Amino acid sequence: GESVGLHLPTLSVQEGDNSIINCAYSNSASDYFIWYKQESGKGPQFIIDIRSNMDKRQGQRVTVLLNKTVKHLSLQIAATQPGDSAVYFCAETPGGGNKLVFGAGTILRVKS
Amino acid sequence: GAGVSQSPRYKVAKRGQDVALRCDPISGHVSLFWYQQALGQGPEFLTYFQNEAQLDKSGLPSDRFFAERPEGSVSTLKIQRTQQEDSAVYLCASSSPLGQGSGANVLTFGAGSRLTVL
């Protein structure tokens, strides 16, 4: 079936550096993508989203890039902080419906 | 309430027991979702409600799983005759068309109910 996957299961970065988390999706019909952050023992927390008619969207310290040609999504975190340590999931809505399909996740570890 | 509330946070059941997991969505949120998250994996869709109507239950893994939302607010996920493979975190999420983000699909998740079946 259709799925969303991630290239790197674990990413370790130094505090203050920028982080880039990548995600590949397989459903070309997906028109909406979201990044979630999940800390241990908590539910996923919304970070940023992007529609398929955009290729870039910026938030506070975060930027999401969408490349529809190669079906690739990335999350950039500027000046990574220890509090950014978590598992990051990308998710898509195939066909624009209400159901979110999640990838397996990337663990981000920030070293002080 | 301020967020999505789930109870119990932790549940240990013996194989074969029935369990019920409760979700209190954000007040006024029309849509409610249940997801199952196995250890080290992303959440997997189980079922979706719009108000009291269960519009999609395609993710429920077997007929032992049943979800309801009789008055369009609180929802209960029931698992009958639990098996070890049912061990997971069960996440509830709700959404509103006026939620944060640019789309109507931004889900606000609860902390989850961790089910362990022995």
Side-chain angles (χ1 to χ4, degrees), chain A residues 48-66:
Chain A
I48 192 168
D49 59 356
I50 189 168
R51 287 209 172 275
S52 58
N53 61 354
M54 304 170 68
D55 53 20
K56 180 179 180 179
R57 189 156 188 254
Q58 288 185 293
Q60 186 178 12
R61 278 201 310 120
V62 294
T63 301
V64 56
L65 299 178
L66 175 62

Side-chain angles (χ1 to χ4, degrees), chain B residues 18-52:
Chain B
D18 298 347
V19 299
L21 308 176
R22 176 188 169 105
C23 173
D24 284 83
I26 292 173
S27 179
H29 275 194
V30 168
S31 299
L32 185 146
F33 300 78
W34 283 98
Y35 280 79
Q36 180 191 59
Q37 186 174 25
L39 187 64
Q41 297 185 19
E44 297 274 352
F45 171 83
L46 292 177
T47 188
Y48 159 61
F49 290 85
Q50 189 170 86
N51 294 307
E52 69 279 4

Side-chain angles (χ1 to χ4, degrees), chain A residues 32 36 38 41 43 46 49 97 100, chain B residues 9 35 37 102 105-107 110:
Chain A
Y32 183 64
Y36 279 90
Q38 188 173 28
F46 171 87
D49 59 356
L100 279 180
Chain B
R9 286 296 315 277
Y35 280 79
Q37 186 174 25
S102 61
N105 302 73
V106 176
L107 305 185

Side-chain angles (χ1 to χ4, degrees), chain A residues 60-74:
Chain A
Q60 186 178 12
R61 278 201 310 120
V62 294
T63 301
V64 56
L65 299 178
L66 175 62
N67 185 331
K68 295 181 288 295
T69 302
V70 295
K71 290 188 283 188
H72 184 266
L73 193 69
S74 69

Side-chain angles (χ1 to χ4, degrees), chain A residues 1 4 10 13 18-19 23 25 30 34-35 47 50-52 69 72 78 80 87 99 105 108:
Chain A
V4 176
T10 303
V13 299
N18 296 333
S19 302
C23 174
Y25 64 94
S30 291
I34 307 180
W35 281 100
I47 301 174
I50 189 168
R51 287 209 172 275
S52 58
T69 302
H72 184 266
T80 314
V87 180
K99 183 190 307 183
L108 176 64

Side-chain angles (χ1 to χ4, degrees), chain B residues 14-92:
Chain B
K14 292 183 179 178
R15 191 175 59 178
Q17 284 185 331
D18 298 347
V19 299
L21 308 176
R22 176 188 169 105
C23 173
D24 284 83
I26 292 173
S27 179
H29 275 194
V30 168
S31 299
L32 185 146
F33 300 78
W34 283 98
Y35 280 79
Q36 180 191 59
Q37 186 174 25
L39 187 64
Q41 297 185 19
E44 297 274 352
F45 171 83
L46 292 177
T47 188
Y48 159 61
F49 290 85
Q50 189 170 86
N51 294 307
E52 69 279 4
Q54 190 174 18
L55 298 186
D56 188 342
K57 55 181 181 179
S58 61
L60 296 177
S62 77
D63 59 8
R64 295 187 295 104
F65 286 71
F66 173 75
E68 60 183 4
R69 194 187 185 197
E71 298 179 357
S73 55
V74 172
S75 178
T76 303
L77 176 67
K78 297 179 179 177
I79 309 173
Q80 298 177 323
R81 305 180 303 281
T82 52
Q83 304 294 314
Q84 286 186 322
E85 61 263 29
D86 300 335
S87 296
V89 174
Y90 290 85
L91 295 164
C92 177

